[in-house]
Amino acid sequence: MSTLRSTHPVDTGRRRVLGRVTLIIALVSAALLTLMFVIDLGGAQYGLIFAAFPFLITAPASVVLLRKARRPEVIELHEDGIAHVLGGVRRSWAWDEVRAIDVAERGEYSYTGSDVDCTVRFADGTLLHFNGLTENSRAIIGALGTHCLDATREPVHKKHKARAAAILGTITLVGGGVATWAVLTVPTTAEGGDQFGLAMLAVACTVPAVISLILLISVLVTGRR
């Protein structure tokens, strides 16, 4: 590419911290799920099934965050285009290859510490996502606005919606499946603690399954074009 105008490294330290936090939550959730099969509290131990839902979210999130935190990431602005370097792998695009730009303000107190979120779609279908963790990220947005006047301003983060749909779909299926099993098992279980525990298990799984189903429908509907 032509003359390099500026480089914008990504602060991977916050990713590492957030990845460790989600990993700890995932490990604690896994321990609670294991404990459910070990102890006997007259059926009340089935309430620990609640730990399955944070585990389903935090386990994959910790893997992604920690993996990305190990690889240095930099965005480069050149005179005639933009480049992305991740873990030594470099990709570059000319300004006229930018097809769509999606910029969202996240607010000063975003949980990631980022005040802006931007996703760019290129002519080859590649998505480039960056936020306030990228040094001087607003300069990148300004350069996109200056050089890519023909690019549309629209939501382009289909990849993120697909991940959200996959996670919510998994929670819905797991929660609904366990709740159905518990309800069908209650009539064949002797009255007492086990029956009470199965009823608690059904309620514990139904509530998050219904909530995740509603969120899943919302994600799928808003994802249409």
Side-chain angles (χ1 to χ4, degrees):
M1 299 188 73
S2 61
T3 305
L4 176 64
R5 295 299 186 186
S6 60
T7 59
H8 305 265
V10 177
D11 180 5
T12 59
R14 291 183 182 178
R15 283 181 180 171
R16 187 175 296 106
V17 171
L18 187 58
R20 289 172 178 171
V21 171
T22 54
L23 178 60
I24 292 173
I25 296 175
L27 292 175
V28 171
S29 300
L32 291 175
L33 289 173
T34 303
L35 191 63
M36 182 181 69
F37 297 100
V38 176
I39 63 174
D40 183 4
L41 299 177
Q45 71 272 13
Y46 291 122
L48 293 175
I49 192 65
F50 271 118
F53 301 100
F55 176 79
L56 289 173
I57 296 175
T58 57
S62 63
V63 172
V64 172
L65 288 168
L66 291 174
R67 183 178 62 184
K68 285 187 175 181
R70 290 198 302 266
R71 297 182 293 176
E73 182 177 4
V74 178
I75 294 178
E76 300 174 347
L77 293 181
H78 294 257
E79 185 176 341
D80 61 359
I82 186 171
H84 178 238
V85 183
L86 177 61
V89 179
R90 189 173 185 276
R91 298 177 298 173
S92 60
W93 303 269
W95 294 121
D96 59 9
E97 293 183 79
V98 176
R99 291 290 178 267
I101 303 171
D102 177 21
V103 180
E105 296 287 342
R106 296 303 184 193
E108 183 179 357
Y109 300 105
S110 169
Y111 74 95
T112 61
S114 168
D115 60 349
V116 66
D117 189 277
C118 182
T119 304
V120 184
R121 174 164 57 83
F122 298 98
D124 59 3
T126 301
L127 296 180
L128 173 61
H129 174 259
F130 63 92
N131 54 34
L133 298 182
T134 302
E135 183 179 294
N136 200 9
S137 57
R138 293 188 179 276
I140 304 175
I141 296 174
L144 290 167
T146 300
H147 296 285
C148 310
L149 297 177
D150 294 332
T152 58
R153 269 57 176 177
E154 61 183 17
V156 295
H157 41 280
K158 291 183 178 179
K159 184 176 180 180
H160 305 290
K161 289 183 177 180
R163 290 176 179 174
I167 294 173
L168 292 172
T170 300
I171 294 175
T172 302
L173 290 175
V174 172
V178 175
T180 301
W181 171 81
V183 170
L184 294 177
T185 305
V186 167
T188 62
T189 303
E191 293 185 4
D194 288 342
Q195 198 174 70
F196 169 76
L198 288 171
M200 180 182 293
L201 177 63
V203 173
C205 291
T206 299
V207 173
V210 171
I211 294 175
S212 61
L213 177 60
I214 295 173
L215 294 175
L216 175 62
I217 294 174
S218 175
V219 168
L220 293 177
V221 170
T222 55
R224 292 178 180 176
R225 291 184 180 272

PDB file of all heavy atoms in Angstrom, residues 146-182:
ATOM      1  N   THR A 146     -14.152  10.443   5.784  1.00  0.00           N
ATOM      2  CA  THR A 146     -13.566  11.335   4.778  1.00  0.00           C
ATOM      3  C   THR A 146     -13.368  10.634   3.431  1.00  0.00           C
ATOM      4  O   THR A 146     -13.666  11.201   2.369  1.00  0.00           O
ATOM      5  CB  THR A 146     -12.204  11.870   5.267  1.00  0.00           C
ATOM      6  OG1 THR A 146     -12.400  12.595   6.482  1.00  0.00           O
ATOM      7  CG2 THR A 146     -11.558  12.764   4.222  1.00  0.00           C
ATOM      8  N   HIS A 147     -12.853   9.403   3.473  1.00  0.00           N
ATOM      9  CA  HIS A 147     -12.480   8.705   2.238  1.00  0.00           C
ATOM     10  C   HIS A 147     -13.568   7.795   1.682  1.00  0.00           C
ATOM     11  O   HIS A 147     -13.451   7.341   0.528  1.00  0.00           O
ATOM     12  CB  HIS A 147     -11.230   7.849   2.486  1.00  0.00           C
ATOM     13  CG  HIS A 147     -10.012   8.646   2.833  1.00  0.00           C
ATOM     14  ND1 HIS A 147      -9.296   9.365   1.899  1.00  0.00           N
ATOM     15  CD2 HIS A 147      -9.377   8.843   4.024  1.00  0.00           C
ATOM     16  CE1 HIS A 147      -8.270   9.953   2.485  1.00  0.00           C
ATOM     17  NE2 HIS A 147      -8.295   9.660   3.778  1.00  0.00           N
ATOM     18  N   CYS A 148     -14.604   7.511   2.463  1.00  0.00           N
ATOM     19  CA  CYS A 148     -15.619   6.529   2.033  1.00  0.00           C
ATOM     20  C   CYS A 148     -17.008   7.152   2.009  1.00  0.00           C
ATOM     21  O   CYS A 148     -17.945   6.637   2.643  1.00  0.00           O
ATOM     22  CB  CYS A 148     -15.594   5.312   2.950  1.00  0.00           C
ATOM     23  SG  CYS A 148     -13.957   4.612   3.212  1.00  0.00           S
ATOM     24  N   LEU A 149     -17.134   8.231   1.283  1.00  0.00           N
ATOM     25  CA  LEU A 149     -18.412   8.951   1.228  1.00  0.00           C
ATOM     26  C   LEU A 149     -19.504   8.124   0.551  1.00  0.00           C
ATOM     27  O   LEU A 149     -20.697   8.328   0.803  1.00  0.00           O
ATOM     28  CB  LEU A 149     -18.226  10.276   0.481  1.00  0.00           C
ATOM     29  CG  LEU A 149     -17.271  11.284   1.142  1.00  0.00           C
ATOM     30  CD1 LEU A 149     -17.123  12.527   0.275  1.00  0.00           C
ATOM     31  CD2 LEU A 149     -17.769  11.650   2.537  1.00  0.00           C
ATOM     32  N   ASP A 150     -19.113   7.191  -0.304  1.00  0.00           N
ATOM     33  CA  ASP A 150     -20.110   6.386  -1.014  1.00  0.00           C
ATOM     34  C   ASP A 150     -20.562   5.167  -0.213  1.00  0.00           C
ATOM     35  O   ASP A 150     -21.517   4.483  -0.599  1.00  0.00           O
ATOM     36  CB  ASP A 150     -19.550   5.906  -2.363  1.00  0.00           C
ATOM     37  CG  ASP A 150     -19.308   7.064  -3.324  1.00  0.00           C
ATOM     38  OD1 ASP A 150     -20.016   8.078  -3.200  1.00  0.00           O
ATOM     39  OD2 ASP A 150     -18.410   6.947  -4.185  1.00  0.00           O
ATOM     40  N   ALA A 151     -19.873   4.879   0.881  1.00  0.00           N
ATOM     41  CA  ALA A 151     -20.252   3.719   1.701  1.00  0.00           C
ATOM     42  C   ALA A 151     -21.561   4.004   2.423  1.00  0.00           C
ATOM     43  O   ALA A 151     -21.802   5.120   2.890  1.00  0.00           O
ATOM     44  CB  ALA A 151     -19.152   3.403   2.699  1.00  0.00           C
ATOM     45  N   THR A 152     -22.417   3.003   2.532  1.00  0.00           N
ATOM     46  CA  THR A 152     -23.682   3.177   3.221  1.00  0.00           C
ATOM     47  C   THR A 152     -23.466   3.142   4.731  1.00  0.00           C
ATOM     48  O   THR A 152     -22.554   2.492   5.235  1.00  0.00           O
ATOM     49  CB  THR A 152     -24.680   2.071   2.835  1.00  0.00           C
ATOM     50  OG1 THR A 152     -24.116   0.796   3.147  1.00  0.00           O
ATOM     51  CG2 THR A 152     -24.976   2.126   1.343  1.00  0.00           C
ATOM     52  N   ARG A 153     -24.322   3.847   5.440  1.00  0.00           N
ATOM     53  CA  ARG A 153     -24.304   3.833   6.899  1.00  0.00           C
ATOM     54  C   ARG A 153     -25.449   2.941   7.355  1.00  0.00           C
ATOM     55  O   ARG A 153     -26.609   3.351   7.337  1.00  0.00           O
ATOM     56  CB  ARG A 153     -24.489   5.233   7.461  1.00  0.00           C
ATOM     57  CG  ARG A 153     -23.192   5.998   7.700  1.00  0.00           C
ATOM     58  CD  ARG A 153     -22.341   6.137   6.460  1.00  0.00           C
ATOM     59  NE  ARG A 153     -21.148   6.945   6.684  1.00  0.00           N
ATOM     60  CZ  ARG A 153     -20.211   7.162   5.758  1.00  0.00           C
ATOM     61  NH1 ARG A 153     -20.329   6.622   4.548  1.00  0.00           N
ATOM     62  NH2 ARG A 153     -19.149   7.901   6.023  1.00  0.00           N
ATOM     63  N   GLU A 154     -25.132   1.711   7.708  1.00  0.00           N
ATOM     64  CA  GLU A 154     -26.154   0.743   8.065  1.00  0.00           C
ATOM     65  C   GLU A 154     -25.575  -0.318   9.008  1.00  0.00           C
ATOM     66  O   GLU A 154     -24.361  -0.493   9.068  1.00  0.00           O
ATOM     67  CB  GLU A 154     -26.673   0.040   6.807  1.00  0.00           C
ATOM     68  CG  GLU A 154     -25.585  -0.720   6.066  1.00  0.00           C
ATOM     69  CD  GLU A 154     -26.072  -1.365   4.784  1.00  0.00           C
ATOM     70  OE1 GLU A 154     -27.138  -0.969   4.313  1.00  0.00           O
ATOM     71  OE2 GLU A 154     -25.379  -2.252   4.272  1.00  0.00           O
ATOM     72  N   PRO A 155     -26.442  -1.019   9.747  1.00  0.00           N
ATOM     73  CA  PRO A 155     -25.952  -2.120  10.592  1.00  0.00           C
ATOM     74  C   PRO A 155     -25.361  -3.226   9.726  1.00  0.00           C
ATOM     75  O   PRO A 155     -26.017  -3.738   8.827  1.00  0.00           O
ATOM     76  CB  PRO A 155     -27.213  -2.608  11.319  1.00  0.00           C
ATOM     77  CG  PRO A 155     -28.154  -1.451  11.256  1.00  0.00           C
ATOM     78  CD  PRO A 155     -27.873  -0.771   9.941  1.00  0.00           C
ATOM     79  N   VAL A 156     -24.119  -3.588   9.969  1.00  0.00           N
ATOM     80  CA  VAL A 156     -23.469  -4.606   9.129  1.00  0.00           C
ATOM     81  C   VAL A 156     -22.911  -5.760   9.951  1.00  0.00           C
ATOM     82  O   VAL A 156     -22.280  -6.666   9.411  1.00  0.00           O
ATOM     83  CB  VAL A 156     -22.303  -3.987   8.310  1.00  0.00           C
ATOM     84  CG1 VAL A 156     -22.828  -2.973   7.326  1.00  0.00           C
ATOM     85  CG2 VAL A 156     -21.264  -3.355   9.225  1.00  0.00           C
ATOM     86  N   HIS A 157     -23.134  -5.742  11.274  1.00  0.00           N
ATOM     87  CA  HIS A 157     -22.514  -6.752  12.117  1.00  0.00           C
ATOM     88  C   HIS A 157     -23.338  -8.039  12.167  1.00  0.00           C
ATOM     89  O   HIS A 157     -23.776  -8.480  13.221  1.00  0.00           O
ATOM     90  CB  HIS A 157     -22.252  -6.228  13.533  1.00  0.00           C
ATOM     91  CG  HIS A 157     -23.362  -5.389  14.098  1.00  0.00           C
ATOM     92  ND1 HIS A 157     -23.530  -4.082  13.767  1.00  0.00           N
ATOM     93  CD2 HIS A 157     -24.357  -5.698  14.958  1.00  0.00           C
ATOM     94  CE1 HIS A 157     -24.572  -3.601  14.416  1.00  0.00           C
ATOM     95  NE2 HIS A 157     -25.103  -4.564  15.141  1.00  0.00           N
ATOM     96  N   LYS A 158     -23.552  -8.674  11.013  1.00  0.00           N
ATOM     97  CA  LYS A 158     -24.283  -9.932  10.965  1.00  0.00           C
ATOM     98  C   LYS A 158     -23.569 -11.025  11.751  1.00  0.00           C
ATOM     99  O   LYS A 158     -24.203 -11.890  12.346  1.00  0.00           O
ATOM    100  CB  LYS A 158     -24.433 -10.388   9.504  1.00  0.00           C
ATOM    101  CG  LYS A 158     -25.366  -9.517   8.667  1.00  0.00           C
ATOM    102  CD  LYS A 158     -25.493 -10.091   7.265  1.00  0.00           C
ATOM    103  CE  LYS A 158     -26.453  -9.268   6.422  1.00  0.00           C
ATOM    104  NZ  LYS A 158     -26.568  -9.820   5.035  1.00  0.00           N
ATOM    105  N   LYS A 159     -22.236 -10.974  11.739  1.00  0.00           N
ATOM    106  CA  LYS A 159     -21.461 -12.010  12.426  1.00  0.00           C
ATOM    107  C   LYS A 159     -21.771 -12.008  13.912  1.00  0.00           C
ATOM    108  O   LYS A 159     -21.919 -13.060  14.539  1.00  0.00           O
ATOM    109  CB  LYS A 159     -19.973 -11.764  12.191  1.00  0.00           C
ATOM    110  CG  LYS A 159     -19.064 -12.830  12.774  1.00  0.00           C
ATOM    111  CD  LYS A 159     -17.623 -12.532  12.396  1.00  0.00           C
ATOM    112  CE  LYS A 159     -16.680 -13.583  12.975  1.00  0.00           C
ATOM    113  NZ  LYS A 159     -15.272 -13.306  12.627  1.00  0.00           N
ATOM    114  N   HIS A 160     -21.876 -10.823  14.513  1.00  0.00           N
ATOM    115  CA  HIS A 160     -22.160 -10.722  15.930  1.00  0.00           C
ATOM    116  C   HIS A 160     -23.572 -11.191  16.230  1.00  0.00           C
ATOM    117  O   HIS A 160     -23.830 -11.822  17.255  1.00  0.00           O
ATOM    118  CB  HIS A 160     -21.951  -9.283  16.403  1.00  0.00           C
ATOM    119  CG  HIS A 160     -20.598  -8.743  16.092  1.00  0.00           C
ATOM    120  ND1 HIS A 160     -19.463  -9.194  16.727  1.00  0.00           N
ATOM    121  CD2 HIS A 160     -20.179  -7.818  15.202  1.00  0.00           C
ATOM    122  CE1 HIS A 160     -18.401  -8.548  16.255  1.00  0.00           C
ATOM    123  NE2 HIS A 160     -18.823  -7.718  15.326  1.00  0.00           N
ATOM    124  N   LYS A 161     -24.524 -10.872  15.327  1.00  0.00           N
ATOM    125  CA  LYS A 161     -25.895 -11.323  15.524  1.00  0.00           C
ATOM    126  C   LYS A 161     -25.985 -12.834  15.408  1.00  0.00           C
ATOM    127  O   LYS A 161     -26.771 -13.473  16.105  1.00  0.00           O
ATOM    128  CB  LYS A 161     -26.811 -10.646  14.510  1.00  0.00           C
ATOM    129  CG  LYS A 161     -27.027  -9.162  14.782  1.00  0.00           C
ATOM    130  CD  LYS A 161     -28.004  -8.539  13.805  1.00  0.00           C
ATOM    131  CE  LYS A 161     -28.256  -7.073  14.156  1.00  0.00           C
ATOM    132  NZ  LYS A 161     -29.195  -6.416  13.232  1.00  0.00           N
ATOM    133  N   ALA A 162     -25.198 -13.409  14.518  1.00  0.00           N
ATOM    134  CA  ALA A 162     -25.203 -14.868  14.372  1.00  0.00           C
ATOM    135  C   ALA A 162     -24.696 -15.530  15.649  1.00  0.00           C
ATOM    136  O   ALA A 162     -25.242 -16.555  16.092  1.00  0.00           O
ATOM    137  CB  ALA A 162     -24.344 -15.278  13.173  1.00  0.00           C
ATOM    138  N   ARG A 163     -23.649 -14.964  16.262  1.00  0.00           N
ATOM    139  CA  ARG A 163     -23.134 -15.515  17.513  1.00  0.00           C
ATOM    140  C   ARG A 163     -24.168 -15.397  18.626  1.00  0.00           C
ATOM    141  O   ARG A 163     -24.379 -16.336  19.405  1.00  0.00           O
ATOM    142  CB  ARG A 163     -21.851 -14.783  17.919  1.00  0.00           C
ATOM    143  CG  ARG A 163     -20.657 -15.075  17.031  1.00  0.00           C
ATOM    144  CD  ARG A 163     -19.466 -14.235  17.461  1.00  0.00           C
ATOM    145  NE  ARG A 163     -18.299 -14.510  16.639  1.00  0.00           N
ATOM    146  CZ  ARG A 163     -17.166 -13.834  16.718  1.00  0.00           C
ATOM    147  NH1 ARG A 163     -17.051 -12.843  17.599  1.00  0.00           N
ATOM    148  NH2 ARG A 163     -16.141 -14.136  15.945  1.00  0.00           N
ATOM    149  N   ALA A 164     -24.815 -14.230  18.699  1.00  0.00           N
ATOM    150  CA  ALA A 164     -25.838 -14.036  19.730  1.00  0.00           C
ATOM    151  C   ALA A 164     -26.990 -15.017  19.537  1.00  0.00           C
ATOM    152  O   ALA A 164     -27.494 -15.589  20.511  1.00  0.00           O
ATOM    153  CB  ALA A 164     -26.359 -12.597  19.671  1.00  0.00           C
ATOM    154  N   ALA A 165     -27.389 -15.214  18.278  1.00  0.00           N
ATOM    155  CA  ALA A 165     -28.473 -16.155  17.994  1.00  0.00           C
ATOM    156  C   ALA A 165     -28.083 -17.575  18.379  1.00  0.00           C
ATOM    157  O   ALA A 165     -28.899 -18.336  18.911  1.00  0.00           O
ATOM    158  CB  ALA A 165     -28.852 -16.092  16.511  1.00  0.00           C
ATOM    159  N   ALA A 166     -26.827 -17.946  18.139  1.00  0.00           N
ATOM    160  CA  ALA A 166     -26.363 -19.297  18.472  1.00  0.00           C
ATOM    161  C   ALA A 166     -26.372 -19.515  19.987  1.00  0.00           C
ATOM    162  O   ALA A 166     -26.809 -20.562  20.481  1.00  0.00           O
ATOM    163  CB  ALA A 166     -24.967 -19.523  17.916  1.00  0.00           C
ATOM    164  N   ILE A 167     -25.901 -18.518  20.737  1.00  0.00           N
ATOM    165  CA  ILE A 167     -25.864 -18.634  22.197  1.00  0.00           C
ATOM    166  C   ILE A 167     -27.272 -18.690  22.776  1.00  0.00           C
ATOM    167  O   ILE A 167     -27.600 -19.554  23.605  1.00  0.00           O
ATOM    168  CB  ILE A 167     -25.085 -17.459  22.809  1.00  0.00           C
ATOM    169  CG1 ILE A 167     -23.607 -17.533  22.415  1.00  0.00           C
ATOM    170  CG2 ILE A 167     -25.225 -17.456  24.333  1.00  0.00           C
ATOM    171  CD1 ILE A 167     -22.802 -16.330  22.845  1.00  0.00           C
ATOM    172  N   LEU A 168     -28.143 -17.768  22.308  1.00  0.00           N
ATOM    173  CA  LEU A 168     -29.518 -17.747  22.814  1.00  0.00           C
ATOM    174  C   LEU A 168     -30.268 -19.007  22.417  1.00  0.00           C
ATOM    175  O   LEU A 168     -31.070 -19.535  23.204  1.00  0.00           O
ATOM    176  CB  LEU A 168     -30.238 -16.504  22.277  1.00  0.00           C
ATOM    177  CG  LEU A 168     -29.742 -15.160  22.814  1.00  0.00           C
ATOM    178  CD1 LEU A 168     -30.390 -14.010  22.064  1.00  0.00           C
ATOM    179  CD2 LEU A 168     -30.045 -15.046  24.313  1.00  0.00           C
ATOM    180  N   GLY A 169     -30.011 -19.498  21.200  1.00  0.00           N
ATOM    181  CA  GLY A 169     -30.656 -20.734  20.763  1.00  0.00           C
ATOM    182  C   GLY A 169     -30.240 -21.921  21.610  1.00  0.00           C
ATOM    183  O   GLY A 169     -31.068 -22.776  21.954  1.00  0.00           O
ATOM    184  N   THR A 170     -28.954 -21.977  21.970  1.00  0.00           N
ATOM    185  CA  THR A 170     -28.465 -23.064  22.817  1.00  0.00           C
ATOM    186  C   THR A 170     -29.104 -23.019  24.196  1.00  0.00           C
ATOM    187  O   THR A 170     -29.535 -24.043  24.739  1.00  0.00           O
ATOM    188  CB  THR A 170     -26.934 -22.977  22.956  1.00  0.00           C
ATOM    189  OG1 THR A 170     -26.331 -23.069  21.660  1.00  0.00           O
ATOM    190  CG2 THR A 170     -26.411 -24.113  23.824  1.00  0.00           C
ATOM    191  N   ILE A 171     -29.181 -21.815  24.782  1.00  0.00           N
ATOM    192  CA  ILE A 171     -29.808 -21.669  26.097  1.00  0.00           C
ATOM    193  C   ILE A 171     -31.271 -22.082  26.048  1.00  0.00           C
ATOM    194  O   ILE A 171     -31.776 -22.771  26.945  1.00  0.00           O
ATOM    195  CB  ILE A 171     -29.675 -20.222  26.592  1.00  0.00           C
ATOM    196  CG1 ILE A 171     -28.208 -19.876  26.848  1.00  0.00           C
ATOM    197  CG2 ILE A 171     -30.493 -19.992  27.856  1.00  0.00           C
ATOM    198  CD1 ILE A 171     -27.969 -18.433  27.232  1.00  0.00           C
ATOM    199  N   THR A 172     -31.965 -21.673  24.981  1.00  0.00           N
ATOM    200  CA  THR A 172     -33.382 -22.027  24.840  1.00  0.00           C
ATOM    201  C   THR A 172     -33.567 -23.532  24.742  1.00  0.00           C
ATOM    202  O   THR A 172     -34.441 -24.113  25.401  1.00  0.00           O
ATOM    203  CB  THR A 172     -33.976 -21.350  23.595  1.00  0.00           C
ATOM    204  OG1 THR A 172     -33.823 -19.930  23.702  1.00  0.00           O
ATOM    205  CG2 THR A 172     -35.460 -21.685  23.454  1.00  0.00           C
ATOM    206  N   LEU A 173     -32.744 -24.181  23.927  1.00  0.00           N
ATOM    207  CA  LEU A 173     -32.867 -25.626  23.740  1.00  0.00           C
ATOM    208  C   LEU A 173     -32.523 -26.399  25.015  1.00  0.00           C
ATOM    209  O   LEU A 173     -33.237 -27.328  25.409  1.00  0.00           O
ATOM    210  CB  LEU A 173     -31.971 -26.081  22.588  1.00  0.00           C
ATOM    211  CG  LEU A 173     -32.407 -25.653  21.181  1.00  0.00           C
ATOM    212  CD1 LEU A 173     -31.361 -26.062  20.154  1.00  0.00           C
ATOM    213  CD2 LEU A 173     -33.755 -26.266  20.830  1.00  0.00           C
ATOM    214  N   VAL A 174     -31.408 -26.001  25.654  1.00  0.00           N
ATOM    215  CA  VAL A 174     -30.998 -26.699  26.876  1.00  0.00           C
ATOM    216  C   VAL A 174     -32.032 -26.493  27.985  1.00  0.00           C
ATOM    217  O   VAL A 174     -32.476 -27.455  28.641  1.00  0.00           O
ATOM    218  CB  VAL A 174     -29.611 -26.204  27.341  1.00  0.00           C
ATOM    219  CG1 VAL A 174     -29.271 -26.784  28.702  1.00  0.00           C
ATOM    220  CG2 VAL A 174     -28.543 -26.606  26.325  1.00  0.00           C
ATOM    221  N   GLY A 175     -32.430 -25.240  28.195  1.00  0.00           N
ATOM    222  CA  GLY A 175     -33.408 -24.953  29.242  1.00  0.00           C
ATOM    223  C   GLY A 175     -34.741 -25.620  28.980  1.00  0.00           C
ATOM    224  O   GLY A 175     -35.330 -26.242  29.873  1.00  0.00           O
ATOM    225  N   GLY A 176     -35.229 -25.506  27.747  1.00  0.00           N
ATOM    226  CA  GLY A 176     -36.503 -26.127  27.404  1.00  0.00           C
ATOM    227  C   GLY A 176     -36.453 -27.640  27.481  1.00  0.00           C
ATOM    228  O   GLY A 176     -37.404 -28.284  27.934  1.00  0.00           O
ATOM    229  N   GLY A 177     -35.329 -28.214  27.045  1.00  0.00           N
ATOM    230  CA  GLY A 177     -35.190 -29.669  27.071  1.00  0.00           C
ATOM    231  C   GLY A 177     -35.170 -30.218  28.489  1.00  0.00           C
ATOM    232  O   GLY A 177     -35.868 -31.196  28.800  1.00  0.00           O
ATOM    233  N   VAL A 178     -34.387 -29.586  29.358  1.00  0.00           N
ATOM    234  CA  VAL A 178     -34.312 -30.041  30.756  1.00  0.00           C
ATOM    235  C   VAL A 178     -35.644 -29.839  31.462  1.00  0.00           C
ATOM    236  O   VAL A 178     -36.095 -30.705  32.239  1.00  0.00           O
ATOM    237  CB  VAL A 178     -33.180 -29.316  31.502  1.00  0.00           C
ATOM    238  CG1 VAL A 178     -33.186 -29.696  32.977  1.00  0.00           C
ATOM    239  CG2 VAL A 178     -31.830 -29.636  30.877  1.00  0.00           C
ATOM    240  N   ALA A 179     -36.306 -28.696  31.212  1.00  0.00           N
ATOM    241  CA  ALA A 179     -37.603 -28.432  31.841  1.00  0.00           C
ATOM    242  C   ALA A 179     -38.634 -29.470  31.404  1.00  0.00           C
ATOM    243  O   ALA A 179     -39.421 -29.968  32.225  1.00  0.00           O
ATOM    244  CB  ALA A 179     -38.082 -27.029  31.482  1.00  0.00           C
ATOM    245  N   THR A 180     -38.633 -29.820  30.112  1.00  0.00           N
ATOM    246  CA  THR A 180     -39.571 -30.829  29.611  1.00  0.00           C
ATOM    247  C   THR A 180     -39.314 -32.180  30.252  1.00  0.00           C
ATOM    248  O   THR A 180     -40.246 -32.886  30.667  1.00  0.00           O
ATOM    249  CB  THR A 180     -39.437 -30.950  28.080  1.00  0.00           C
ATOM    250  OG1 THR A 180     -39.716 -29.680  27.476  1.00  0.00           O
ATOM    251  CG2 THR A 180     -40.407 -31.986  27.535  1.00  0.00           C
ATOM    252  N   TRP A 181     -38.039 -32.546  30.361  1.00  0.00           N
ATOM    253  CA  TRP A 181     -37.688 -33.824  30.996  1.00  0.00           C
ATOM    254  C   TRP A 181     -38.151 -33.851  32.451  1.00  0.00           C
ATOM    255  O   TRP A 181     -38.703 -34.848  32.927  1.00  0.00           O
ATOM    256  CB  TRP A 181     -36.182 -34.033  30.931  1.00  0.00           C
ATOM    257  CG  TRP A 181     -35.714 -35.203  31.753  1.00  0.00           C
ATOM    258  CD1 TRP A 181     -35.737 -36.519  31.422  1.00  0.00           C
ATOM    259  CD2 TRP A 181     -35.194 -35.133  33.096  1.00  0.00           C
ATOM    260  NE1 TRP A 181     -35.247 -37.284  32.446  1.00  0.00           N
ATOM    261  CE2 TRP A 181     -34.916 -36.470  33.485  1.00  0.00           C
ATOM    262  CE3 TRP A 181     -34.932 -34.091  33.982  1.00  0.00           C
ATOM    263  CZ2 TRP A 181     -34.380 -36.778  34.732  1.00  0.00           C
ATOM    264  CZ3 TRP A 181     -34.406 -34.391  35.229  1.00  0.00           C
ATOM    265  CH2 TRP A 181     -34.132 -35.727  35.595  1.00  0.00           C
ATOM    266  N   ALA A 182     -37.952 -32.745  33.167  1.00  0.00           N
ATOM    267  CA  ALA A 182     -38.339 -32.690  34.573  1.00  0.00           C
ATOM    268  C   ALA A 182     -39.850 -32.814  34.735  1.00  0.00           C
ATOM    269  O   ALA A 182     -40.333 -33.550  35.603  1.00  0.00           O
ATOM    270  CB  ALA A 182     -37.848 -31.385  35.202  1.00  0.00           C
TER     271      ALA A 182
END
